[in-house]
Amino acid sequence: MEQNKKDLSVIDQDLPLKNRLPLALMEKIEGYPENRRRPVNKIVFKNEYFQLTYNTKNVSFAISSNGDLVYSAIPYDTGRNYIQRAAIQYLLHPGEIRQYIERHQSTLEKYLMLSIFQVTGHRVMEDSIEVSHAYQAILQNPLLEIQIAGRLMQHDETGPLSANLAGKFLFSENVKTGIAGYISEYLTFVIQLTNSLPLMIDGKVVTLLDKQDSLLISNGLTSHSEIDSAVSLLPQEVQTGIKQGLVAAENIPMTNTQPLLRSKYGDELANVRKNYVAHSVAPAEAEKYFKNIHSIENRHLINVVSDIHTKDKNLPFVNRHFNILAGDISDSHAVDKEIEGLYVIGGHELVDVLPETTDHSDKQWDKWRPFFNYEWFTTLLKNPDEAWYRLPTGDHPFYEVVKTALEPRFPKMKLLNNASLIYNNVRYIGLTIPVALTKRKQMQQRFILAALEKLLGEDTAIPTVIVSHAPLFNELSLLSESSSAYNKAYVCDEPKIEQLFQQYNIIGAIHGHHHIPASSRRFNKVQFAGKKIFVVCSIYSKVNTGFELMSLLNEQG
């Protein structure tokens, strides 16, 4: 017993925020000798093909496959997170996954028609017997059904797919990709993991549970999840692998669908990638061949959405309750006289409010003339992509003019340019942060501090949510460190901001900007200023017309 205490104390010294890790996780970390040589990514749990690691620096968990397991033989296959998400949802709601696929039947028939042409060179119609048989094959193979659900999620979020459709949609070709084996091993691991530790897995993010995380429990796989009916639908060899995985803690040989291993097929995979020709078509070009099967009506009571970038002058969704629009809503001078809620300014609003005429002598330009001598403004007129990081911080008079130009187009919205409003006993503070000014971080954070000091006032008790287009800083952002847009220097360096978060009842932050897909998760709970704060990033897509904030607010209540 004394020896165990000694070992755990060593781990205590290695791990920051150690008091937030349950003893069960501490003991797992201590049980892997290689962790003593790992200052950051500690192994928490592993089996033959996967491992869970804990990043002691950013206090996060991640599931990764070992170097031998191949997700897909399809080069540049970007669907893994979507397919893993579909796998988790299949365990939780197999009937809903089937319904999701059936609603997309017309979309699938187009994909299958194109897939058959890629394999045979013969064109068939969408209502042909060949397409019908290929569609039925999906419904008869749960591991392919999971993949198809994931591909359709990707289609709905990012636009139509085009490269190697046969490997993605035809059973005869899909069996060669190794994805079914990957899914079976992934399912085995996540079930084994959640039955061993108090964690929630949604297909990408792994979250440590506490007693108040009812929303997390309902949205992902945990030890509380009822999955017996879904497991019973899987192939028998997968069921056997899952049952074997639950018998012991780790490293049990599996007898399920064979995964694709680099140790056996490495040279072959390298040659395929070397000689691969994608034959991709841009999603915007293929979009016209697919119809949107999702309803545009959204009934969330407090609906969060951002980065719509509508190009047809209309918002592509309808919500008659309270909306939080976190910037970059229109690229076409959109108008909506009925939508209600609050709206913060993003980068694209700065261009979208400008007159459509290029004749600067026109009186429409009068309100903008005070800014003509600024280099950042002239650049904004000529090439907006070159102007974003030259913009002034959010306390500049320019943003008030932007606000007054937007208001007539959305008369029932409250435009918050460094202002606040109270709705249903929650205070929302809208800060104007169109972009992440990384190189001027200190200036940006001085602005944030001054704005918060002014707007928070004397009421320290009212629940408060801060809304901005770009995130305030990394600690309150959902952008992954693996993203090319991530900058590790964009952290909170102003201690007085953290002090305000401690002093006031700030319960959450909302942002957009980074176009994070829903498959990467639209909310998280993070530790900042000594307390747990929710972060929401809800980017528009056909499958995601907003995030229901009430669920998080109710947990706080």
Side-chain angles (χ1 to χ4, degrees):
M1 184 66 180
E2 292 300 318
Q3 180 63 39
N4 287 339
K5 288 182 178 179
K6 180 179 178 181
D7 290 342
L8 289 177
S9 70
V10 172
I11 299 300
D12 275 357
Q13 294 169 11
D14 290 342
L15 294 176
L17 305 172
K18 57 182 178 296
N19 292 332
R20 295 169 193 157
L21 281 180
L23 182 61
L25 271 73
M26 300 283 288
E27 290 176 337
K28 289 286 187 182
I29 290 171
E30 193 274 336
Y32 293 98
E34 57 266 46
N35 281 333
R36 298 186 180 278
R37 301 187 302 274
R38 290 176 166 225
V40 179
N41 290 313
K42 306 279 189 180
I43 297 173
V44 181
F45 194 92
K46 69 177 183 179
N47 69 5
E48 185 177 359
Y49 295 115
F50 285 92
Q51 66 180 14
L52 174 74
T53 56
Y54 175 70
N55 187 306
T56 61
K57 186 175 180 180
N58 60 22
V59 194
S60 64
F61 296 93
I63 293 175
S64 59
S65 58
N66 67 27
D68 201 26
L69 181 64
V70 175
Y71 150 65
S72 171
I74 300 174
Y76 316 114
D77 188 344
T78 58
R80 176 164 54 182
N81 286 336
Y82 295 95
I83 291 172
Q84 288 179 178
R85 179 184 171 200
I88 296 297
Q89 290 305 309
Y90 186 89
L91 288 177
L92 300 174
H93 312 291
E96 292 180 14
I97 287 292
R98 172 62 63 87
Q99 292 171 11
Y100 181 75
I101 290 174
E102 290 174 341
R103 289 200 305 272
H104 283 78
Q105 182 170 349
S106 62
T107 295
L108 266 177
E109 287 171 345
K110 286 185 174 64
Y111 278 132
L112 292 170
M113 177 184 69
L114 294 169
S115 299
I116 291 170
F117 175 71
Q118 286 184 2
V119 171
T120 66
H122 299 294
R123 296 192 180 277
V124 296
M125 302 300 293
E126 294 169 49
D127 59 354
S128 67
I129 191 67
E130 292 90 345
V131 169
S132 176
H133 286 166
Y135 178 76
Q136 291 302 318
I138 294 170
L139 305 182
Q140 294 166 6
N141 294 274
L143 296 179
L144 180 57
E145 187 175 354
I146 289 170
Q147 293 178 59
I148 296 302
R151 303 291 185 190
L152 292 173
M153 290 176 186
Q154 185 177 16
H155 168 101
D156 287 338
E157 286 189 9
T158 67
L161 315 177
S162 58
N164 202 335
L165 296 179
K168 295 172 182 176
F169 292 94
L170 291 181
F171 178 77
S172 61
E173 304 306 306
N174 182 261
V175 294
K176 306 171 187 176
T177 68
I179 305 174
Y182 178 94
I183 294 171
S184 65
E185 296 294 351
Y186 178 79
L187 290 172
T188 298
F189 180 74
V190 295
I191 293 172
Q192 183 182 355
L193 177 57
T194 52
N195 275 272
S196 300
L197 294 168
L199 300 169
M200 187 285 299
I201 302 169
D202 65 7
K204 179 177 175 66
V205 177
V206 180
T207 304
L208 182 63
L209 294 175
D210 63 31
K211 295 180 181 179
Q212 297 180 336
D213 283 331
S214 59
L215 183 60
L216 292 175
I217 290 173
S218 64
N219 279 273
L221 179 68
T222 74
S223 60
H224 305 284
S225 301
E226 298 289 341
I227 61 172
D228 289 348
S229 60
V231 170
S232 69
L233 299 173
L234 296 171
Q236 187 59 50
E237 60 268 31
V238 181
Q239 295 184 46
T240 301
I242 289 172
K243 291 176 182 177
Q244 287 181 334
L246 294 176
V247 170
E250 57 195 48
N251 292 327
I252 295 177
M254 303 300 174
T255 59
N256 58 2
T257 304
Q258 288 299 306
L260 194 61
L261 303 179
R262 285 189 177 85
S263 57
K264 294 184 178 180
Y265 304 102
D267 291 341
E268 182 179 342
L269 289 168
N271 289 332
V272 169
R273 181 176 289 264
K274 181 179 178 180
N275 300 315
Y276 181 65
V277 179
H279 303 297
S280 295
V281 177
E285 292 295 319
E287 190 74 44
K288 59 186 176 182
Y289 299 107
F290 295 88
K291 68 178 182 180
N292 178 24
I293 59 89
H294 298 284
S295 171
I296 66 170
E297 184 176 3
N298 178 309
R299 297 183 180 182
H300 296 159
L301 296 180
I302 300 182
N303 184 52
V304 182
V305 68
S306 70
D307 299 84
I308 295 173
H309 295 282
T310 183
K311 295 183 179 180
D312 66 359
K313 296 184 178 294
N314 298 303
L315 297 187
F317 73 98
V318 175
N319 181 292
R320 295 307 178 212
H321 299 290
F322 189 85
N323 292 269
I324 297 175
L325 304 184
D328 279 12
I329 301 305
S330 170
D331 288 327
S332 59
H333 289 74
V335 175
D336 193 311
K337 302 290 188 179
E338 298 301 321
I339 190 169
E340 300 181 41
L342 68 88
Y343 188 158
V344 298
I345 297 169
H348 283 244
E349 276 75 19
L350 310 184
V351 178
D352 198 50
V353 296
L354 297 175
E356 294 183 272
T357 175
T358 58
D359 180 5
H360 290 178
S361 65
D362 191 289
K363 66 178 182 178
Q364 296 181 64
W365 284 96
D366 288 351
K367 68 175 71 175
W368 308 104
R369 296 193 197 285
F371 312 110
F372 276 17
N373 293 328
Y374 290 105
E375 182 183 0
W376 57 263
F377 186 76
T378 57
T379 306
L380 193 67
L381 296 178
K382 295 175 182 177
N383 187 356
D385 288 340
E386 294 296 322
W388 301 134
Y389 301 104
R390 305 181 185 187
L391 294 173
T393 54
D395 53 355
H396 197 279
F398 170 66
Y399 299 116
E400 189 64 22
V401 179
V402 173
K403 171 196 163 188
T404 59
L406 275 173
E407 285 174 328
R409 288 162 45 185
F410 301 90
K412 294 185 179 181
M413 298 294 288
K414 179 70 173 179
L415 271 293
L416 296 184
N417 173 35
N418 308 320
S420 67
L421 66 79
I422 295 176
Y423 178 77
N424 281 358
N425 300 314
V426 176
R427 173 171 56 189
Y428 296 91
I429 292 179
L431 298 183
T432 297
I433 306 179
V435 295
L437 297 176
T438 305
K439 293 183 179 180
R440 287 182 283 150
K441 177 181 63 175
Q442 301 297 337
M443 183 183 297
Q444 181 94 305
Q445 292 184 12
R446 285 196 297 271
F447 150 69
I448 293 171
L449 175 62
L452 289 179
E453 287 177 334
K454 176 182 177 181
L455 296 169
L456 287 168
E458 297 182 359
D459 191 343
T460 60
I462 185 171
T464 299
V465 177
I466 299 174
V467 187
S468 59
H469 178 61
L472 303 178
F473 30 73
N474 288 344
E475 290 88 341
L476 298 178
S477 170
L478 290 192
L479 185 65
S480 169
E481 290 187 20
S482 62
S483 169
S484 60
Y486 183 86
N487 188 315
K488 65 180 181 181
Y490 193 63
V491 294
C492 182
D493 278 343
E494 175 50 72
K496 290 184 179 179
I497 293 178
E498 190 166 355
Q499 290 169 14
L500 286 178
F501 274 76
Q502 293 169 345
Q503 180 182 356
Y504 290 85
N505 188 20
I506 300 173
I507 61 173
I510 294 170
H511 75 87
H513 186 55
H514 288 300
H515 291 230
I516 302 168
S519 59
S520 295
R521 196 136 166 248
R522 286 177 281 168
F523 81 96
N524 196 12
K525 294 181 180 180
V526 302
Q527 291 288 340
F528 181 71
K531 59 183 177 181
K532 185 172 283 190
I533 296 173
F534 68 73
V535 182
V536 171
C537 181
S538 188
I539 306 299
Y540 173 81
S541 71
K542 290 178 180 177
V543 75
N544 168 32
T545 58
F547 175 80
E548 174 59 275
L549 192 66
M550 282 295 295
S551 51
L552 289 173
L553 295 179
N554 289 338
E555 282 199 357
Q556 296 292 330

